[in-house]
Amino acid sequence: MARKLPEIATSSMADISFLLLTFFLLTSSIDTDLGLSRRLPPLPDDIPPPPVKQRNVFVVLVNAYDMLLVEGKPGNIKTLREDAKEFFLNPNNDPNLSERRKMETIEHIGPYERSKGVISLQNDRGTSYKTYIAVQNELTAAFNEMRDDLSIEKFGVKFDDLTNEDYRKAIQEAIPVAISEAEPKDIGGKD
Amino acid sequence: MSRFKKNEKKEVPGINTGSMSDIIFMFLFFFMVITTIREATLFVKINAPSATEVQKLERKNLVSYIYIGTPMRTQVYGTEPRIQLNDQFATVEDIAEFIEKERAARNENDRQFLTTSFKIDKDVKMGIVTDVKQELRKVGAFKINYSTKRGSVVD
């Protein structure tokens, strides 16, 4: 007759797994990496950049005291998004805001007049990183909102919810993210 | 009525702890899946700025991190913002070598997707950030990501 095996004590297993759990809690961080993605331009070469008309450039300057100058006027971070959107969309064909290209047919969207506008962003070496990110964020938000509007108009869903890759490409073609960063200046002098 | 008579001998049964380990293991696996192991020990204080238009950073294994912030041990390293690469302080000149090393550690097909993530304190001045960006442009690491928290930009 087989002898009955003694039971293995499992109560300490909980302790061991608790130990492991605490170890992982301490060594890991939950933060998923979030951020603003950008693509740096290649180093300038000898080829001069294509000429851009003054009215097609939306100039944003940030000085060492974190103050904004938008299109030659003191700007506010709260209105920057709306200003940028108005500059690109130019609903009233204001001669001071961006021009439109000739009517083109973009696949899936149909005839569309793309804006010729470009945002030129320049900051000082003394500008704080926080303000820089705030400005970048507002400008990105302006593009995202314009894309959303167009996407809802054409496809009925927001740009982020578009699953069809061709549709996404079409929207990206119609509204490219045109942010150009000028070489920074050192005027504030408090690096 | 004997039928409803209480059983006098009955004791309070011991709580069965056998399944406790299963529950804890479940917790453990949950945490292991949703978290990431810290990449480096931070020597600099980083309080990331907030932004609303954030995107998730895809493919974590193709990301190299550059930390910039005020050193934690200010009595030793001063209060000037410093750059940290991997586990040590670095200067702007070290960036090129760092990127080369990061590239060499990756599969050849994946090198073009290598992203540099900036983890920078919000009070750092743009001067040092610009220098790092110029250095990255020189070595051709164009894909960058400004690491931020999710939140309103205006406080």
Side-chain angles (χ1 to χ4, degrees):
Chain A
M1 215 173 117
R3 248 198 317 167
K4 208 181 165 197
L5 284 170
E7 248 178 76
I8 298 166
T10 48
S11 54
S12 53
M13 192 138 132
D15 300 351
I16 296 166
S17 30
F18 253 127
L19 216 80
L20 278 174
L21 179 66
T22 351
F23 171 74
F24 270 95
L25 277 178
L26 289 180
T27 54
S28 58
S29 48
I30 305 181
D31 63 5
T32 41
D33 266 325
L34 298 170
L36 303 170
S37 289
R38 280 282 175 281
R39 216 184 153 77
L40 292 173
L43 282 178
D45 39 27
D46 297 333
I47 308 159
V52 184
K53 265 196 217 162
Q54 195 62 47
R55 65 172 277 196
N56 288 330
V57 185
F58 186 76
V59 184
V60 182
L61 302 171
V62 192
N63 74 2
Y65 305 99
D66 293 346
M67 287 172 346
L68 266 70
L69 193 74
V70 180
E71 289 284 72
K73 292 191 272 294
N76 188 330
I77 190 78
K78 286 172 190 154
T79 56
L80 184 62
R81 187 187 303 203
E82 287 308 315
D83 289 348
K85 271 175 76 176
E86 202 193 333
F87 170 79
F88 276 99
L89 297 172
N90 195 2
N92 304 325
N93 281 320
D94 188 326
N96 293 319
L97 303 179
S98 74
E99 283 179 296
R100 303 184 154 277
R101 281 170 211 265
K102 277 201 211 98
M103 191 76 91
E104 299 167 90
T105 309
I106 297 172
E107 218 179 326
H108 304 297
I109 290 183
Y112 186 77
E113 285 180 310
R114 286 195 290 170
S115 173
K116 279 188 183 174
V118 172
I119 291 178
S120 167
L121 172 63
Q122 186 166 40
N123 58 274
D124 193 273
R125 290 181 68 87
T127 306
S128 81
Y129 183 65
K130 188 183 165 200
T131 310
Y132 176 76
I133 287 294
V135 171
Q136 285 273 7
N137 183 63
E138 289 309 298
L139 296 178
T140 315
F143 283 109
N144 286 351
E145 282 180 14
M146 286 191 290
R147 283 179 169 181
D148 276 350
D149 290 347
L150 183 67
S151 181
I152 286 171
E153 186 192 321
K154 299 290 178 190
F155 309 120
V157 287
K158 283 190 169 184
F159 178 68
D160 276 340
D161 301 330
L162 271 183
T163 43
N164 188 325
E165 202 55 39
D166 292 338
Y167 289 176
R168 287 184 73 90
K169 284 228 177 79
I171 298 274
Q172 280 168 353
E173 198 190 328
I175 304 173
V177 177
I179 301 177
S180 155
E181 276 185 67
E183 309 290 324
K185 282 184 183 149
D186 189 7
I187 295 172
K190 43 167 206 174
D191 200 346
Chain B
M1 293 280 268
S2 64
R3 195 184 251 200
F4 296 110
K5 206 174 80 184
K6 270 192 184 152
N7 190 352
E8 300 293 338
K9 278 190 285 179
K10 199 174 184 183
E11 290 172 31
V12 180
I15 297 166
N16 187 1
T17 52
S19 52
M20 186 139 128
S21 60
D22 298 352
I23 296 165
I24 305 301
F25 262 120
M26 221 158 72
F27 264 129
L28 178 65
F29 290 139
F30 172 71
F31 274 101
M32 279 169 74
V33 168
I34 66 160
T35 58
T36 47
I37 295 198
R38 256 178 225 152
E39 309 87 20
T41 320
L42 282 181
F43 295 131
V44 290
K45 221 183 287 166
I46 287 171
N47 185 6
S50 317
T52 49
E53 310 298 312
V54 291
Q55 288 164 318
K56 246 190 202 158
L57 203 50
E58 305 286 346
R59 303 188 68 180
K60 283 250 173 72
N61 54 339
L62 292 176
V63 178
S64 35
Y65 296 92
I66 294 179
Y67 308 91
I68 305 175
T70 324
M72 280 180 186
R73 295 175 61 194
T74 42
Q75 64 271 44
V76 182
Y77 299 111
T79 51
E80 275 296 300
R82 298 281 294 266
I83 303 169
Q84 185 191 337
L85 302 171
N86 292 329
D87 270 339
Q88 55 197 8
F89 285 121
T91 57
V92 178
E93 287 80 44
D94 299 328
I95 302 261
E97 197 193 335
F98 169 71
I99 294 294
E100 281 310 318
K101 271 190 190 156
E102 289 285 317
R103 278 197 188 137
R106 260 63 168 206
N107 188 332
E108 203 161 326
N109 300 331
D110 290 338
R111 278 179 203 166
Q112 50 179 323
F113 302 116
L114 202 65
T115 309
T116 313
S117 174
F118 287 141
K119 289 189 178 277
I120 302 178
D121 190 86
K122 59 182 173 189
D123 294 325
V124 168
K125 300 288 176 205
M126 278 308 289
I128 189 167
V129 183
T130 308
D131 293 341
V132 171
K133 273 161 67 179
Q134 291 293 357
E135 206 61 31
L136 288 179
R137 281 171 73 185
K138 274 184 211 160
V139 293
F142 297 129
K143 278 187 76 164
I144 57 165
N145 183 287
Y146 301 106
S147 186
T148 58
K149 288 185 286 203
R150 198 189 288 275
S152 168
V153 289
V154 199
D155 43 23

